[in-house]
Amino acid sequence: MEKTLFEKICEGEIPADIVYQDDLCVCFKDISPQAPVHLLLVPRQVITRIALAQEDQACLLGHLMLKAGEIARLVGIADSGFRLVINNGPDAGEVVPHLHIHILGGRHLGWPPG
Ligand code: AMP
């Protein structure tokens, strides 16, 4: 099975601007930022998309949520506000089939999203 783009980033085969990593996840700057802060938080273990996550991945998913908040504090957007986005499937514009949480902040984010 061919590695996903984000697996290659997690394993250092493709360069990325990494802001945080641990044994379960990696967080790096989005190559095409949609806000002054636009990070992607990905699990090292491939979960194709959130709708395909399994019960035994609950701890990993919880870890990602906790780290998203910690990273937001680390990069200074926790108090001003930030948004977590997971695109699942074609209508949501999912491009990379490896679960990733967008962490967006550094400006006012409109609602509803486009
Ligand atoms: P999605 O549309 O939710 O699948 O998001 C995929 C995201 O990956 C987009 O925001 C892209 O800009 C971003 N992206 C694609 N290639 C790279 C890369 N090599 N490094 C960092 N971000 C990337």
Side-chain angles (χ1 to χ4, degrees):
M1 190 104 128
E2 197 182 333
K3 287 182 188 173
T4 69
L5 170 65
F6 292 162
E7 259 183 305
K8 290 178 184 169
I9 288 177
C10 287
E11 293 172 15
E13 292 174 25
I14 289 179
D17 198 341
I18 292 174
V19 299
Y20 173 84
Q21 60 182 317
D22 62 27
D23 56 336
L24 296 178
C25 63
V26 179
C27 183
F28 51 91
K29 293 184 181 174
D30 195 293
I31 204 167
S32 177
Q34 303 302 309
V37 176
H38 186 175
L39 307 174
L40 299 174
L41 177 59
V42 310
R44 291 184 185 275
Q45 179 192 83
V46 179
I47 300 172
T48 303
R49 59 186 60 85
I50 193 66
L52 294 177
Q54 302 294 308
E55 199 66 40
D56 65 1
Q57 292 166 325
C59 278
L60 176 57
L61 295 172
H63 182 79
L64 292 172
M65 285 294 114
L66 286 169
K67 290 301 159 184
E70 192 178 307
I71 291 163
R73 287 195 296 279
L74 182 76
V75 300
I77 56 171
D79 291 338
S80 52
F82 64 96
R83 184 171 292 162
L84 304 180
V85 173
I86 297 175
N87 293 322
N88 187 108
D91 275 358
E94 177 203 308
V95 173
V96 181
H98 181 151
L99 177 66
H100 47 284
I101 301 173
H102 296 258
I103 303 173
L104 296 146
R107 67 166 169 81
H108 179 76
L109 300 164
W111 191 264

